[in-house]
Amino acid sequence: MRPKLVLFGDSITEESFGEGGWGAALAHHFSRKADVVLRGYSGYNTRWALKVLGRAMEGVCPDGVAPPAAVAVFFGANDASLPDRCSGFQHVPLPEYQSNLRAICAYLRERWSSTVIILITPPPIDEDGRLQDTCGDNSSGLPERTNESAGAYAKACVAVANELGLPVIDIWSKMLQFPDWEKSFLRDGLHFTASGNSVLFDEVVKKLGDEGLSLEALPVDLPYLGDMDPNDPLKSFCD
């Protein structure tokens, strides 16, 4: 049976199977090698994610089926919303954010002890892009998210990963290494463009490879056409 790669996160995960999305790219990359399972919940923070975690994972691996090979946990963009602005109801204080990440990881480890858990930090924020978006707090002239806040939550996510001995993708720091990241990678100051999706896709593939889940390391599901005997193709399907 093919191994499963589970993507658990907020809107950046939920829309990752859209055109040019990083989840769709993973599904294509691992075709015939692994199944990518989407568990994205737009607008969710870690408090809500922890509350629904059991239900979210229902059906991923029924009893008797091998556990997922990996779960990517990608929350923090909503937690980092500023508490005194229009998205304040999504805000989660920094210490609770870290506590929630620990609890999510503990649940996954207890349920699937062999599963690789990869934490992904929140991405950077283009504050001008947020002001142009209808979700921004345009009435006050201030964005509902700032890059400074996102960076603090990104550092907190990395700290939790290091504490728990888990692999982590610091997408906040990675994107800041590129010129014009604000408009190149973020279409509305928060959600990814095709280029932003590509950056995260590359980082996820690298991290999975570091954990022994590279394309080369995974067995193919059923023979390739080129490996079949043209004189007796059915022989390829014998146990």
Side-chain angles (χ1 to χ4, degrees):
M1 183 173 292
R2 295 186 191 189
K4 292 184 179 180
L5 310 174
V6 182
L7 313 181
F8 181 46
D10 53 35
S11 57
I12 303 175
T13 299
E14 181 175 339
E15 65 180 33
S16 70
F17 270 34
E19 184 176 358
W22 63 280
L26 282 173
H28 176 71
H29 180 77
F30 285 104
S31 62
R32 299 284 289 277
K33 296 293 186 87
D35 290 333
V36 180
V37 180
L38 182 62
R39 291 293 187 269
Y41 301 90
S42 179
Y44 277 45
N45 54 34
T46 54
R47 182 184 298 159
W48 306 341
L50 180 58
K51 183 72 173 178
V52 305
L53 179 55
R55 179 173 176 180
M57 295 299 138
E58 285 181 1
V60 170
C61 289
D63 292 342
V65 176
V71 178
V73 178
F74 188 11
F75 288 97
N78 297 311
D79 300 67
S81 298
L82 300 182
D84 59 347
R85 300 187 187 173
C86 68
S87 293
F89 72 101
Q90 294 171 290
H91 172 76
V92 171
L94 199 56
E96 184 190 344
Y97 169 67
Q98 291 186 296
S99 177
N100 291 339
L101 283 180
R102 292 187 191 101
I104 289 169
C105 294
Y107 175 93
L108 294 171
R109 274 181 158 174
E110 182 176 356
R111 183 166 183 175
W112 300 311
S113 60
S114 64
T115 297
V116 174
I117 302 169
I118 299 173
L119 295 184
I120 306 177
T121 74
I125 296 294
D126 172 24
E127 294 164 31
D128 175 67
R130 293 310 297 157
L131 283 173
Q132 303 306 316
D133 187 73
T134 55
C135 295
D137 189 359
N138 295 323
S139 61
S140 69
L142 298 170
E144 90 290 18
R145 291 168 170 82
T146 65
N147 195 41
E148 180 181 8
S149 179
Y153 281 72
K155 290 180 176 64
C157 179
V158 171
V160 169
N162 291 338
E163 171 193 326
L164 300 179
L166 299 177
V168 61
I169 296 170
D170 185 357
I171 198 64
W172 185 85
S173 296
K174 182 66 179 182
M175 286 187 165
L176 291 181
Q177 296 174 8
F178 293 83
D180 194 31
W181 60 267
E182 298 94 333
K183 309 305 179 189
S184 295
F185 297 152
L186 306 172
R187 71 169 192 270
D188 59 1
L190 171 62
H191 299 94
F192 294 171
T193 62
S195 296
N197 276 286
S198 180
V199 172
L200 182 55
F201 163 75
D202 287 341
E203 292 302 303
V204 173
V205 168
K206 289 177 187 175
K207 195 63 64 175
L208 289 170
D210 292 342
E211 298 301 319
L213 297 171
S214 67
L215 199 63
E216 297 75 20
L218 295 173
V220 65
D221 181 16
L222 298 179
Y224 288 119
L225 178 63
D227 295 330
M228 295 182 185
D229 181 349
N231 297 314
D232 189 5
L234 291 179
K235 183 172 63 176
S236 302
F237 308 129
C238 297
D239 293 334

